[in-house]
Amino acid sequence: MKQRYLKYKQAFLLGMLVISISACKHDSFLDVPPKGFLTDAATFSTSSNADLFVNDIYNQLPDINNEYQLSEQYADNSFCGAAWENGQSTVRSGSINPSNVPFGPANMWSWEGNYTAIRKCNVFLQQAEKNKANFPAAWYTERVAEVTYLRAFFYMQLFESYGGVPIIKIPLDNTTQGDAIFYARNSIDETLAFIEADCDAAAAALPLTPQDNGRATKGAALTLKGWVELFAASPLVNTNNDVSKWAKAAATNKQVMDLNTYSLFSIDTGAYAEQFLTKNNWNSETIFAKAYALPAKGSHREGYLGPVYVNGVQESWGNLAPTQGLVDDYAMDNGLPITDPASGYDDTHPYTHRESRFYQSIIFDGSEWQGDIFKSRTGGSNQIDLGSTSDITNTGYNARKTLDEAILGQASIASPPPSSANYIFYRYAEVLLSYAEAQNEAVGPDASVYTAVNAVRARSNCPAVKPGLSQGLMRDYIHRERRIELAFEDKRWFDIRRWKITSGPTGVLNTPEYGMQVTIEAGTGKLIYNRVKIFTNAYKDYQNWMPIPQSDRDKNPKLEQNPGY
């Protein structure tokens, strides 16, 4: 997490470059025999050749399961003590500028990366139409819809980070088009409308269930549309709180619900976290995911993110360390927050009687992992590292959710790793919570809001929401529910920005970050729990929008910079 990464960083980046070029990342539909370099004429002469091109577009989806720094480190869910990582050195320190733009895990919102992928989409759409006679009609319709969806996905990644961006619908080539390749930024509303239109076009042609796992579906297209509409309805964009924008987002998310295609995953009461394991790939809750196929490509997640020392052996890099703020947001098993005097919370036994998602998500002092007891206490094998001198957690915690306890860290770091767990971009629980949030803002906490939130809670054996809440109290409830339910899924960074709760006197990225230091009382052996400040955040409001990279503005003189930079 800290010093050890300095040793591995260059080798890691080189390895990722090789993997990104050579690996097959989805299920059988990507297992197309290699045919070497193909010209445009050859590529679009048959559907099997053209599938090579489509598969390469899917290959551009961010490879987050092989990333050692998640967007959780940018947000307030996790903290990494490595001062050189941009979660601490750039984002939390308020040092973002046009020359050091953080692009997120696996370059999620890289300006050039997404436009490279968008150009691939535009080439396919242009050439597929030009060579339509070469393809079976059903294949043509479905692949065009898939690529249209993927173009919307890449534009979404730009939109949620930069706001309005240039809308480019054709392949650009400066050798023939000259300065015409320079596009100015479109407005936020125009960018949103373009993404919505692509999603609508894709949804109209895509099937409810894919022929091959990993392909886009009608539900994926509508879910993406519902997400960008929710983002656009939120305070960061919807500064005048136009209620109709919330209503539009609610309606689109309701469309996904009404497909009757998805359901909340459950193999046992409260076992929601198992949906992220390889054995449960493509479960009923998954709407859109990136797949990993062994031996060509697996997930290093356990090795990069798991607890450092296990059974006396240094196994992992420990780069997913939940903050005390996140831990405190998990309620008690009676449904009450720990701040409620009636909750039964005992700060001398802070980890007893917490809600079930806490035990599925957080590794804390005294909990078990891979047959070992995790000890972040003084003298423990994973003693909290307040000095950032090792890989060990700065917060006193490690994440459990999204990690497979059956996979040892060293095996995960090795190549190929043993995990082929999906990275889930969208799942049904998020749709329910997005609907609940948008509907609450549009009309207040009606019965459908309670039904959606309570369905998510019931799956994890959590008590139903107290009836009779005001719109404001329900808003607070939904915000906390999203944080808990979607923790470690790279959602929090986008939520805190769109809600505009990052900066200011109480901003979650402008107030100190805390961890839990556990000491042993001399003579009694009693454990003493003390919250300790681990970092002073200094985030600025204008940084809720990323700056356009200076290198790209140097290339395109028409690009206007976001305010504040």
Side-chain angles (χ1 to χ4, degrees):
M1 181 171 69
K2 306 175 187 76
Q3 302 301 321
R4 187 174 181 184
Y5 280 157
L6 299 176
K7 175 181 177 182
Y8 286 103
K9 188 178 181 184
Q10 288 184 331
F12 171 83
L13 293 175
L14 178 61
M16 287 302 294
L17 177 61
V18 173
I19 288 169
S20 68
I21 294 172
S22 63
C24 170
K25 299 181 181 176
H26 291 268
D27 276 10
S28 58
F29 82 88
L30 285 188
D31 296 334
V32 182
K35 300 186 179 181
F37 178 78
L38 297 176
T39 64
D40 282 351
T43 298
F44 295 96
S45 62
T46 66
S47 59
S48 60
N49 281 358
D51 263 335
L52 291 170
F53 199 96
V54 176
N55 297 348
D56 181 58
I57 298 174
Y58 275 102
N59 204 42
Q60 308 308 306
L61 293 169
D63 184 17
I64 299 175
N65 267 357
N66 285 311
E67 180 61 72
Y68 58 82
Q69 182 178 204
L70 305 181
S71 65
E72 302 291 294
Q73 275 85 14
Y74 296 2
D76 58 338
N77 275 358
S78 176
F79 186 79
C80 175
W84 58 267
E85 288 194 21
N86 58 19
Q88 180 182 150
S89 65
T90 305
V91 178
R92 290 174 173 273
S93 65
S95 301
I96 302 171
N97 65 65
S99 298
N100 67 1
V101 185
F103 289 146
N107 292 321
M108 284 177 68
W109 56 86
S110 165
W111 187 273
E112 290 194 12
N114 279 291
Y115 273 111
T116 297
I118 288 166
R119 186 182 192 281
K120 291 175 184 285
C121 294
N122 288 336
V123 167
F124 175 84
L125 294 173
Q126 181 189 73
Q127 292 296 322
E129 182 178 13
K130 181 179 177 180
N131 296 278
K132 186 175 181 178
N134 296 337
F135 310 128
W139 180 96
Y140 174 83
T141 298
E142 191 162 331
R143 291 297 184 271
V144 166
E146 288 177 40
V147 173
T148 300
Y149 166 80
L150 291 169
R151 183 171 68 175
F153 188 97
F154 299 125
Y155 267 112
M156 174 273 296
Q157 294 190 128
L158 293 169
F159 170 74
E160 65 187 5
S161 297
Y162 302 99
V165 298
I167 297 172
I168 303 172
K169 306 176 185 179
I170 60 172
L172 300 179
D173 182 357
N174 62 1
T175 61
T176 57
Q177 294 163 302
D179 288 348
I181 66 170
F182 298 132
Y183 280 57
R185 295 176 65 181
N186 288 81
S187 69
I188 285 179
D189 287 345
E190 289 168 341
T191 305
L192 172 66
F194 179 76
I195 297 171
E196 290 175 311
D198 266 4
C199 288
D200 285 338
L206 288 171
L208 285 174
T209 56
Q211 183 177 0
D212 303 296
N213 286 330
R215 292 195 182 277
T217 61
K218 181 185 294 290
L222 291 175
T223 300
L224 173 56
K225 181 185 178 187
W227 162 245
V228 294
E229 289 175 345
L230 184 72
F231 192 94
S234 302
L236 177 63
V237 179
N238 188 14
T239 56
N240 295 322
N241 195 28
D242 181 348
V243 174
S244 68
K245 294 183 177 181
W246 290 109
K248 183 169 67 170
T252 301
N253 281 285
K254 186 64 163 59
Q255 280 185 276
V256 181
M257 296 159 63
D258 290 344
L259 293 175
N260 295 317
T261 300
Y262 308 104
S263 61
L264 294 172
F265 168 86
S266 182
I267 59 172
D268 190 15
T269 302
Y272 94 114
E274 293 198 23
Q275 68 182 289
F276 301 98
L277 306 184
T278 301
K279 64 183 180 181
N280 293 314
N281 282 346
W282 313 116
N283 63 75
S284 64
E285 190 165 342
T286 300
I287 297 176
F288 188 61
K290 184 182 185 72
Y292 292 77
L294 296 174
K297 184 64 178 295
S299 165
H300 293 282
R301 199 171 180 96
E302 286 74 22
Y304 295 163
L305 307 179
V308 175
Y309 285 97
V310 182
N311 292 309
V313 177
Q314 187 168 1
E315 290 283 357
S316 306
W317 292 357
N319 206 34
L320 193 50
T323 62
Q324 189 61 46
L326 172 62
V327 168
D328 287 346
D329 256 357
Y330 285 90
M332 302 296 285
D333 57 12
N334 58 15
L336 297 176
I338 67 171
T339 53
D340 191 317
S343 69
Y345 176 74
D346 179 359
D347 59 11
T348 65
H349 298 88
Y351 311 129
T352 59
H353 294 293
R354 304 297 287 270
E355 63 168 277
S356 70
R357 289 175 296 188
F358 172 77
Y359 300 107
Q360 296 178 71
S361 303
I362 308 294
I363 300 174
F364 53 90
D365 184 86
S367 59
E368 184 176 329
W369 176 259
Q370 296 182 338
D372 191 21
I373 301 300
F374 180 81
K375 294 182 178 179
S376 58
R377 67 192 67 171
T378 301
S381 57
N382 287 283
Q383 176 181 320
I384 186 172
D385 181 13
L386 298 176
S388 296
T389 58
S390 71
D391 290 352
I392 296 173
T393 172
N394 294 85
T395 67
Y397 303 102
N398 208 97
R400 180 187 298 272
K401 179 186 163 189
T402 75
L403 304 183
D404 190 337
E405 193 170 357
I407 297 175
L408 294 176
Q410 288 296 328
S412 176
I413 291 172
S415 293
S419 174
S420 57
N422 290 345
Y423 180 84
I424 302 174
F425 290 110
Y426 297 118
R427 60 184 179 94
Y428 188 52
E430 182 182 358
V431 171
L432 292 175
L433 294 176
S434 293
Y435 169 77
E437 179 183 347
Q439 182 72 357
N440 182 60
E441 298 295 342
V443 302
D446 65 11
S448 69
V449 173
Y450 278 90
T451 298
V453 176
N454 285 336
V456 174
R457 292 182 57 75
R459 185 263 299 275
S460 292
N461 203 29
C462 297
V465 180
K466 179 182 177 181
L469 295 181
S470 67
Q471 183 186 52
L473 288 176
M474 179 59 84
R475 177 186 303 124
D476 294 342
Y477 209 105
I478 292 170
H479 285 194
R480 189 200 71 86
E481 193 68 20
R482 282 187 71 94
R483 184 181 195 184
I484 298 304
E485 175 69 22
L486 304 176
F488 315 138
E489 298 178 49
D490 295 291
K491 304 294 182 179
R492 179 70 173 173
W493 167 249
F494 302 100
D495 281 347
I496 62 177
R497 289 174 46 246
R498 69 182 177 88
W499 292 331
K500 291 206 72 177
I501 62 171
T502 53
S503 59
T506 60
V508 298
L509 291 182
N510 200 41
T511 48
E513 206 66 73
Y514 288 87
M516 181 67 80
Q517 186 174 40
V518 184
T519 57
I520 304 173
E521 187 175 68
T524 66
K526 178 182 177 182
L527 297 180
I528 307 297
Y529 300 89
N530 290 296
R531 287 171 171 79
V532 290
K533 184 170 74 172
I534 58 174
F535 190 76
T536 300
N537 293 306
Y539 197 78
K540 300 175 179 65
D541 185 67
Y542 66 83
Q543 294 173 332
N544 285 322
W545 291 117
M546 294 294 101
I548 309 301
Q550 187 59 46
S551 59
D552 292 292
R553 294 190 71 218
D554 291 341
K555 298 172 186 174
N556 180 358
K558 293 184 179 180
L559 288 178
E560 181 181 354
Q561 185 58 275
N562 277 328
Y565 296 103

PDB file of all heavy atoms in Angstrom, residues 511-536:
ATOM      1  N   THR A 511     -13.056  17.737   5.933  1.00  0.00           N
ATOM      2  CA  THR A 511     -12.961  17.559   7.384  1.00  0.00           C
ATOM      3  C   THR A 511     -12.002  16.390   7.634  1.00  0.00           C
ATOM      4  O   THR A 511     -11.745  15.590   6.734  1.00  0.00           O
ATOM      5  CB  THR A 511     -14.342  17.257   7.985  1.00  0.00           C
ATOM      6  OG1 THR A 511     -14.986  16.223   7.219  1.00  0.00           O
ATOM      7  CG2 THR A 511     -15.231  18.498   7.966  1.00  0.00           C
ATOM      8  N   PRO A 512     -11.447  16.272   8.822  1.00  0.00           N
ATOM      9  CA  PRO A 512     -10.429  15.245   9.069  1.00  0.00           C
ATOM     10  C   PRO A 512     -10.947  13.824   8.848  1.00  0.00           C
ATOM     11  O   PRO A 512     -12.122  13.526   9.067  1.00  0.00           O
ATOM     12  CB  PRO A 512     -10.046  15.470  10.541  1.00  0.00           C
ATOM     13  CG  PRO A 512     -10.368  16.901  10.796  1.00  0.00           C
ATOM     14  CD  PRO A 512     -11.598  17.183   9.980  1.00  0.00           C
ATOM     15  N   GLU A 513     -10.027  12.962   8.434  1.00  0.00           N
ATOM     16  CA  GLU A 513     -10.327  11.542   8.283  1.00  0.00           C
ATOM     17  C   GLU A 513      -9.837  10.823   9.530  1.00  0.00           C
ATOM     18  O   GLU A 513      -8.777  11.147  10.071  1.00  0.00           O
ATOM     19  CB  GLU A 513      -9.624  10.997   7.049  1.00  0.00           C
ATOM     20  CG  GLU A 513     -10.302   9.799   6.434  1.00  0.00           C
ATOM     21  CD  GLU A 513     -11.666  10.154   5.860  1.00  0.00           C
ATOM     22  OE1 GLU A 513     -11.729  10.808   4.818  1.00  0.00           O
ATOM     23  OE2 GLU A 513     -12.682   9.760   6.499  1.00  0.00           O
ATOM     24  N   TYR A 514     -10.623   9.830   9.978  1.00  0.00           N
ATOM     25  CA  TYR A 514     -10.296   9.133  11.221  1.00  0.00           C
ATOM     26  C   TYR A 514     -10.168   7.632  11.011  1.00  0.00           C
ATOM     27  O   TYR A 514     -10.744   7.045  10.087  1.00  0.00           O
ATOM     28  CB  TYR A 514     -11.383   9.394  12.275  1.00  0.00           C
ATOM     29  CG  TYR A 514     -11.354  10.796  12.830  1.00  0.00           C
ATOM     30  CD1 TYR A 514     -12.036  11.832  12.192  1.00  0.00           C
ATOM     31  CD2 TYR A 514     -10.629  11.094  13.984  1.00  0.00           C
ATOM     32  CE1 TYR A 514     -12.002  13.125  12.691  1.00  0.00           C
ATOM     33  CE2 TYR A 514     -10.589  12.390  14.494  1.00  0.00           C
ATOM     34  CZ  TYR A 514     -11.275  13.399  13.840  1.00  0.00           C
ATOM     35  OH  TYR A 514     -11.220  14.684  14.335  1.00  0.00           O
ATOM     36  N   GLY A 515      -9.401   7.014  11.896  1.00  0.00           N
ATOM     37  CA  GLY A 515      -9.292   5.568  11.989  1.00  0.00           C
ATOM     38  C   GLY A 515      -9.521   5.152  13.434  1.00  0.00           C
ATOM     39  O   GLY A 515      -9.841   5.981  14.294  1.00  0.00           O
ATOM     40  N   MET A 516      -9.347   3.853  13.710  1.00  0.00           N
ATOM     41  CA  MET A 516      -9.550   3.341  15.068  1.00  0.00           C
ATOM     42  C   MET A 516      -8.238   2.744  15.584  1.00  0.00           C
ATOM     43  O   MET A 516      -7.719   1.775  15.014  1.00  0.00           O
ATOM     44  CB  MET A 516     -10.649   2.286  15.103  1.00  0.00           C
ATOM     45  CG  MET A 516     -10.914   1.728  16.494  1.00  0.00           C
ATOM     46  SD  MET A 516     -11.613   2.968  17.638  1.00  0.00           S
ATOM     47  CE  MET A 516     -13.346   2.948  17.118  1.00  0.00           C
ATOM     48  N   GLN A 517      -7.729   3.338  16.660  1.00  0.00           N
ATOM     49  CA  GLN A 517      -6.528   2.803  17.301  1.00  0.00           C
ATOM     50  C   GLN A 517      -6.962   1.980  18.502  1.00  0.00           C
ATOM     51  O   GLN A 517      -7.661   2.478  19.397  1.00  0.00           O
ATOM     52  CB  GLN A 517      -5.602   3.937  17.742  1.00  0.00           C
ATOM     53  CG  GLN A 517      -4.267   3.461  18.293  1.00  0.00           C
ATOM     54  CD  GLN A 517      -3.323   4.617  18.575  1.00  0.00           C
ATOM     55  OE1 GLN A 517      -3.735   5.661  19.068  1.00  0.00           O
ATOM     56  NE2 GLN A 517      -2.045   4.438  18.269  1.00  0.00           N
ATOM     57  N   VAL A 518      -6.550   0.727  18.512  1.00  0.00           N
ATOM     58  CA  VAL A 518      -6.917  -0.195  19.584  1.00  0.00           C
ATOM     59  C   VAL A 518      -5.667  -0.482  20.414  1.00  0.00           C
ATOM     60  O   VAL A 518      -4.650  -0.945  19.884  1.00  0.00           O
ATOM     61  CB  VAL A 518      -7.499  -1.505  19.028  1.00  0.00           C
ATOM     62  CG1 VAL A 518      -7.961  -2.416  20.172  1.00  0.00           C
ATOM     63  CG2 VAL A 518      -8.642  -1.224  18.058  1.00  0.00           C
ATOM     64  N   THR A 519      -5.744  -0.188  21.696  1.00  0.00           N
ATOM     65  CA  THR A 519      -4.621  -0.448  22.596  1.00  0.00           C
ATOM     66  C   THR A 519      -5.058  -1.436  23.674  1.00  0.00           C
ATOM     67  O   THR A 519      -6.258  -1.669  23.880  1.00  0.00           O
ATOM     68  CB  THR A 519      -4.117   0.845  23.243  1.00  0.00           C
ATOM     69  OG1 THR A 519      -5.206   1.480  23.929  1.00  0.00           O
ATOM     70  CG2 THR A 519      -3.568   1.804  22.191  1.00  0.00           C
ATOM     71  N   ILE A 520      -4.087  -1.996  24.352  1.00  0.00           N
ATOM     72  CA  ILE A 520      -4.367  -2.986  25.394  1.00  0.00           C
ATOM     73  C   ILE A 520      -4.040  -2.369  26.748  1.00  0.00           C
ATOM     74  O   ILE A 520      -2.911  -1.918  26.985  1.00  0.00           O
ATOM     75  CB  ILE A 520      -3.533  -4.258  25.169  1.00  0.00           C
ATOM     76  CG1 ILE A 520      -3.810  -4.820  23.759  1.00  0.00           C
ATOM     77  CG2 ILE A 520      -3.836  -5.304  26.238  1.00  0.00           C
ATOM     78  CD1 ILE A 520      -2.917  -5.984  23.386  1.00  0.00           C
ATOM     79  N   GLU A 521      -5.009  -2.345  27.617  1.00  0.00           N
ATOM     80  CA  GLU A 521      -4.827  -1.752  28.944  1.00  0.00           C
ATOM     81  C   GLU A 521      -3.894  -2.630  29.776  1.00  0.00           C
ATOM     82  O   GLU A 521      -4.114  -3.839  29.922  1.00  0.00           O
ATOM     83  CB  GLU A 521      -6.174  -1.590  29.640  1.00  0.00           C
ATOM     84  CG  GLU A 521      -6.106  -0.827  30.943  1.00  0.00           C
ATOM     85  CD  GLU A 521      -7.492  -0.604  31.531  1.00  0.00           C
ATOM     86  OE1 GLU A 521      -8.142  -1.600  31.954  1.00  0.00           O
ATOM     87  OE2 GLU A 521      -7.930   0.555  31.536  1.00  0.00           O
ATOM     88  N   ALA A 522      -2.869  -2.002  30.320  1.00  0.00           N
ATOM     89  CA  ALA A 522      -1.897  -2.745  31.131  1.00  0.00           C
ATOM     90  C   ALA A 522      -2.573  -3.347  32.354  1.00  0.00           C
ATOM     91  O   ALA A 522      -3.394  -2.706  33.010  1.00  0.00           O
ATOM     92  CB  ALA A 522      -0.764  -1.820  31.557  1.00  0.00           C
ATOM     93  N   GLY A 523      -2.238  -4.560  32.646  1.00  0.00           N
ATOM     94  CA  GLY A 523      -2.755  -5.212  33.841  1.00  0.00           C
ATOM     95  C   GLY A 523      -4.043  -5.967  33.631  1.00  0.00           C
ATOM     96  O   GLY A 523      -4.226  -7.058  34.153  1.00  0.00           O
ATOM     97  N   THR A 524      -4.972  -5.388  32.840  1.00  0.00           N
ATOM     98  CA  THR A 524      -6.280  -6.032  32.653  1.00  0.00           C
ATOM     99  C   THR A 524      -6.392  -6.742  31.300  1.00  0.00           C
ATOM    100  O   THR A 524      -7.203  -7.655  31.146  1.00  0.00           O
ATOM    101  CB  THR A 524      -7.409  -4.994  32.750  1.00  0.00           C
ATOM    102  OG1 THR A 524      -7.312  -4.084  31.639  1.00  0.00           O
ATOM    103  CG2 THR A 524      -7.320  -4.217  34.056  1.00  0.00           C
ATOM    104  N   GLY A 525      -5.603  -6.286  30.353  1.00  0.00           N
ATOM    105  CA  GLY A 525      -5.710  -6.855  29.015  1.00  0.00           C
ATOM    106  C   GLY A 525      -6.934  -6.360  28.261  1.00  0.00           C
ATOM    107  O   GLY A 525      -7.221  -6.822  27.147  1.00  0.00           O
ATOM    108  N   LYS A 526      -7.649  -5.412  28.825  1.00  0.00           N
ATOM    109  CA  LYS A 526      -8.855  -4.870  28.198  1.00  0.00           C
ATOM    110  C   LYS A 526      -8.480  -4.057  26.958  1.00  0.00           C
ATOM    111  O   LYS A 526      -7.503  -3.314  26.956  1.00  0.00           O
ATOM    112  CB  LYS A 526      -9.593  -3.991  29.198  1.00  0.00           C
ATOM    113  CG  LYS A 526     -10.850  -3.330  28.661  1.00  0.00           C
ATOM    114  CD  LYS A 526     -11.484  -2.443  29.734  1.00  0.00           C
ATOM    115  CE  LYS A 526     -12.697  -1.720  29.191  1.00  0.00           C
ATOM    116  NZ  LYS A 526     -13.308  -0.816  30.216  1.00  0.00           N
ATOM    117  N   LEU A 527      -9.292  -4.190  25.925  1.00  0.00           N
ATOM    118  CA  LEU A 527      -9.061  -3.423  24.704  1.00  0.00           C
ATOM    119  C   LEU A 527      -9.688  -2.037  24.839  1.00  0.00           C
ATOM    120  O   LEU A 527     -10.848  -1.897  25.236  1.00  0.00           O
ATOM    121  CB  LEU A 527      -9.653  -4.146  23.492  1.00  0.00           C
ATOM    122  CG  LEU A 527      -9.044  -5.514  23.152  1.00  0.00           C
ATOM    123  CD1 LEU A 527      -9.733  -6.108  21.929  1.00  0.00           C
ATOM    124  CD2 LEU A 527      -7.547  -5.409  22.913  1.00  0.00           C
ATOM    125  N   ILE A 528      -8.908  -1.021  24.496  1.00  0.00           N
ATOM    126  CA  ILE A 528      -9.363   0.365  24.552  1.00  0.00           C
ATOM    127  C   ILE A 528      -9.428   0.897  23.116  1.00  0.00           C
ATOM    128  O   ILE A 528      -8.459   0.782  22.362  1.00  0.00           O
ATOM    129  CB  ILE A 528      -8.405   1.248  25.388  1.00  0.00           C
ATOM    130  CG1 ILE A 528      -8.182   0.622  26.770  1.00  0.00           C
ATOM    131  CG2 ILE A 528      -8.945   2.661  25.495  1.00  0.00           C
ATOM    132  CD1 ILE A 528      -9.436   0.515  27.609  1.00  0.00           C
ATOM    133  N   TYR A 529     -10.571   1.488  22.763  1.00  0.00           N
ATOM    134  CA  TYR A 529     -10.795   1.963  21.399  1.00  0.00           C
ATOM    135  C   TYR A 529     -10.779   3.486  21.371  1.00  0.00           C
ATOM    136  O   TYR A 529     -11.541   4.145  22.081  1.00  0.00           O
ATOM    137  CB  TYR A 529     -12.145   1.455  20.877  1.00  0.00           C
ATOM    138  CG  TYR A 529     -12.242  -0.059  20.833  1.00  0.00           C
ATOM    139  CD1 TYR A 529     -12.695  -0.774  21.942  1.00  0.00           C
ATOM    140  CD2 TYR A 529     -11.878  -0.766  19.695  1.00  0.00           C
ATOM    141  CE1 TYR A 529     -12.781  -2.160  21.916  1.00  0.00           C
ATOM    142  CE2 TYR A 529     -11.960  -2.154  19.654  1.00  0.00           C
ATOM    143  CZ  TYR A 529     -12.407  -2.843  20.772  1.00  0.00           C
ATOM    144  OH  TYR A 529     -12.488  -4.208  20.727  1.00  0.00           O
ATOM    145  N   ASN A 530      -9.929   4.041  20.525  1.00  0.00           N
ATOM    146  CA  ASN A 530      -9.827   5.493  20.390  1.00  0.00           C
ATOM    147  C   ASN A 530      -9.815   5.882  18.915  1.00  0.00           C
ATOM    148  O   ASN A 530      -8.990   5.374  18.137  1.00  0.00           O
ATOM    149  CB  ASN A 530      -8.544   6.016  21.048  1.00  0.00           C
ATOM    150  CG  ASN A 530      -8.590   5.924  22.558  1.00  0.00           C
ATOM    151  OD1 ASN A 530      -9.405   6.570  23.200  1.00  0.00           O
ATOM    152  ND2 ASN A 530      -7.720   5.091  23.117  1.00  0.00           N
ATOM    153  N   ARG A 531     -10.731   6.781  18.556  1.00  0.00           N
ATOM    154  CA  ARG A 531     -10.703   7.332  17.205  1.00  0.00           C
ATOM    155  C   ARG A 531      -9.518   8.286  17.088  1.00  0.00           C
ATOM    156  O   ARG A 531      -9.337   9.151  17.931  1.00  0.00           O
ATOM    157  CB  ARG A 531     -12.013   8.060  16.901  1.00  0.00           C
ATOM    158  CG  ARG A 531     -13.192   7.121  16.683  1.00  0.00           C
ATOM    159  CD  ARG A 531     -14.511   7.896  16.614  1.00  0.00           C
ATOM    160  NE  ARG A 531     -15.614   7.038  16.203  1.00  0.00           N
ATOM    161  CZ  ARG A 531     -16.241   6.199  17.000  1.00  0.00           C
ATOM    162  NH1 ARG A 531     -15.857   6.102  18.269  1.00  0.00           N
ATOM    163  NH2 ARG A 531     -17.246   5.447  16.557  1.00  0.00           N
ATOM    164  N   VAL A 532      -8.738   8.110  16.018  1.00  0.00           N
ATOM    165  CA  VAL A 532      -7.555   8.948  15.827  1.00  0.00           C
ATOM    166  C   VAL A 532      -7.599   9.591  14.445  1.00  0.00           C
ATOM    167  O   VAL A 532      -8.016   8.959  13.459  1.00  0.00           O
ATOM    168  CB  VAL A 532      -6.251   8.130  15.975  1.00  0.00           C
ATOM    169  CG1 VAL A 532      -6.041   7.704  17.410  1.00  0.00           C
ATOM    170  CG2 VAL A 532      -6.251   6.920  15.052  1.00  0.00           C
ATOM    171  N   LYS A 533      -7.191  10.849  14.391  1.00  0.00           N
ATOM    172  CA  LYS A 533      -7.147  11.548  13.106  1.00  0.00           C
ATOM    173  C   LYS A 533      -5.976  11.016  12.296  1.00  0.00           C
ATOM    174  O   LYS A 533      -4.845  10.958  12.782  1.00  0.00           O
ATOM    175  CB  LYS A 533      -7.014  13.052  13.318  1.00  0.00           C
ATOM    176  CG  LYS A 533      -7.061  13.850  12.017  1.00  0.00           C
ATOM    177  CD  LYS A 533      -7.176  15.344  12.260  1.00  0.00           C
ATOM    178  CE  LYS A 533      -5.870  15.922  12.742  1.00  0.00           C
ATOM    179  NZ  LYS A 533      -5.904  17.408  12.804  1.00  0.00           N
ATOM    180  N   ILE A 534      -6.232  10.651  11.059  1.00  0.00           N
ATOM    181  CA  ILE A 534      -5.180  10.098  10.227  1.00  0.00           C
ATOM    182  C   ILE A 534      -4.813  11.020   9.069  1.00  0.00           C
ATOM    183  O   ILE A 534      -3.751  10.855   8.452  1.00  0.00           O
ATOM    184  CB  ILE A 534      -5.561   8.712   9.672  1.00  0.00           C
ATOM    185  CG1 ILE A 534      -6.860   8.786   8.859  1.00  0.00           C
ATOM    186  CG2 ILE A 534      -5.710   7.706  10.815  1.00  0.00           C
ATOM    187  CD1 ILE A 534      -7.224   7.484   8.160  1.00  0.00           C
ATOM    188  N   PHE A 535      -5.690  11.977   8.752  1.00  0.00           N
ATOM    189  CA  PHE A 535      -5.388  12.867   7.634  1.00  0.00           C
ATOM    190  C   PHE A 535      -6.297  14.085   7.702  1.00  0.00           C
ATOM    191  O   PHE A 535      -7.446  13.998   8.127  1.00  0.00           O
ATOM    192  CB  PHE A 535      -5.603  12.149   6.294  1.00  0.00           C
ATOM    193  CG  PHE A 535      -5.085  12.896   5.096  1.00  0.00           C
ATOM    194  CD1 PHE A 535      -3.728  12.937   4.811  1.00  0.00           C
ATOM    195  CD2 PHE A 535      -5.946  13.561   4.246  1.00  0.00           C
ATOM    196  CE1 PHE A 535      -3.237  13.620   3.704  1.00  0.00           C
ATOM    197  CE2 PHE A 535      -5.473  14.250   3.133  1.00  0.00           C
ATOM    198  CZ  PHE A 535      -4.107  14.277   2.863  1.00  0.00           C
ATOM    199  N   THR A 536      -5.765  15.232   7.268  1.00  0.00           N
ATOM    200  CA  THR A 536      -6.559  16.449   7.170  1.00  0.00           C
ATOM    201  C   THR A 536      -6.877  16.700   5.709  1.00  0.00           C
ATOM    202  O   THR A 536      -5.987  17.025   4.903  1.00  0.00           O
ATOM    203  CB  THR A 536      -5.803  17.655   7.762  1.00  0.00           C
ATOM    204  OG1 THR A 536      -5.516  17.388   9.137  1.00  0.00           O
ATOM    205  CG2 THR A 536      -6.640  18.918   7.659  1.00  0.00           C
TER     206      THR A 536
END
